[in-house]
Amino acid sequence: MIIKYTNFSDGIHDFRLTESAKNLELEDRFFGNVLVDCKMDKSPHQIVLSCNLILQANLVCDRCGKEFEKNLTNHFQISYLFGRDSAKNDDFNLKFLSKDQDKINIRDDVFEYAELALPMKILCSDECKGICPICGKNLNEETCNCKTEIDNGIWEPLKKLKDKLN
């Protein structure tokens, strides 16, 4: 995903980049095309890219184990400063462009932000009931009569005290 910024005049420019998940080496979780809607603010001293990432993922629910497809989005912004050689920089979203460069490659950034678009807790729906820990039935599809309450002896003294108070 290469942007030849010398083709653009100073100012704000909108454009869309498309690449397959396979070409970006994202095919283990993602499929189809990865879309990147970019807004580039170019000035004589810097370029600021503000991008929205849109992609489709094959996911497995953490509660019920069901496989499902979901559209994911992420936003990222990267600033590029002109005039310095590509120096080592600790700031993840600040990069330097040397005077002999005329292109920006955002492939690695798209890869990283695609991975960051994955939720920490993957759920097929917010109402997912999960799987019964006793019989293994998917509680979204059927109910079971299992007793899921776990008796822990450490709470017995408090239960007795509660019974006395009631």
Side-chain angles (χ1 to χ4, degrees):
M1 300 193 117
I2 296 175
I3 302 166
K4 185 166 180 167
Y5 61 84
T6 55
N7 290 345
F8 295 94
S9 62
D10 288 352
I12 296 175
H13 307 277
D14 293 316
F15 54 91
R16 174 177 272 193
L17 302 172
T18 304
E19 187 74 41
S20 72
K22 184 176 183 178
N23 289 348
L24 292 170
E25 298 176 6
L26 290 167
E27 69 269 10
D28 58 328
R29 286 262 180 129
F30 302 98
F31 65 94
N33 286 332
V34 176
L35 303 175
V36 184
D37 285 325
C38 288
K39 181 176 280 197
M40 179 174 68
D41 187 358
K42 182 180 176 194
S43 69
H45 303 290
Q46 72 177 4
I47 294 174
V48 178
L49 278 179
S50 181
C51 299
N52 290 312
L53 184 63
I54 304 162
L55 56 158
Q56 296 133 348
N58 288 317
L59 303 173
V60 177
C61 182
D62 289 338
R63 285 189 190 154
C64 68
K66 176 184 169 188
E67 292 185 15
F68 65 101
E69 296 176 357
K70 185 173 184 176
N71 290 333
L72 298 175
T73 60
N74 203 355
H75 175 80
F76 63 94
Q77 184 170 327
I78 302 173
S79 298
Y80 297 88
L81 298 178
F82 293 117
R84 288 176 66 178
D85 292 328
S86 296
K88 186 72 176 165
N89 184 16
D90 292 336
D91 190 353
F92 186 68
N93 291 337
L94 177 65
K95 298 182 182 185
F96 295 98
L97 297 171
S98 63
K99 295 183 189 265
D100 58 335
Q101 284 181 281
D102 66 343
K103 297 175 189 141
I104 297 171
N105 189 347
I106 62 169
R107 183 185 187 283
D108 292 338
D109 300 307
V110 169
F111 179 89
E112 290 178 20
Y113 282 100
E115 292 289 326
L116 289 171
L118 291 168
M120 292 184 74
K121 182 147 188 99
I122 299 172
L123 299 176
C124 58
S125 73
D126 290 337
E127 295 81 29
C128 180
K129 297 175 185 174
I131 293 177
C132 174
I134 310 297
C135 66
K137 290 182 181 176
N138 185 340
L139 299 175
N140 296 316
E141 298 169 357
E142 57 186 307
T143 58
C144 68
N145 296 324
C146 297
K147 180 183 174 193
T148 57
E149 203 174 292
I150 299 171
D151 292 329
N152 189 342
I154 197 166
W155 300 111
E156 281 304 315
L158 287 175
K159 286 182 183 178
K160 288 179 184 176
L161 182 62
K162 181 182 173 187
D163 290 341
K164 284 183 184 179
L165 294 174
N166 290 337

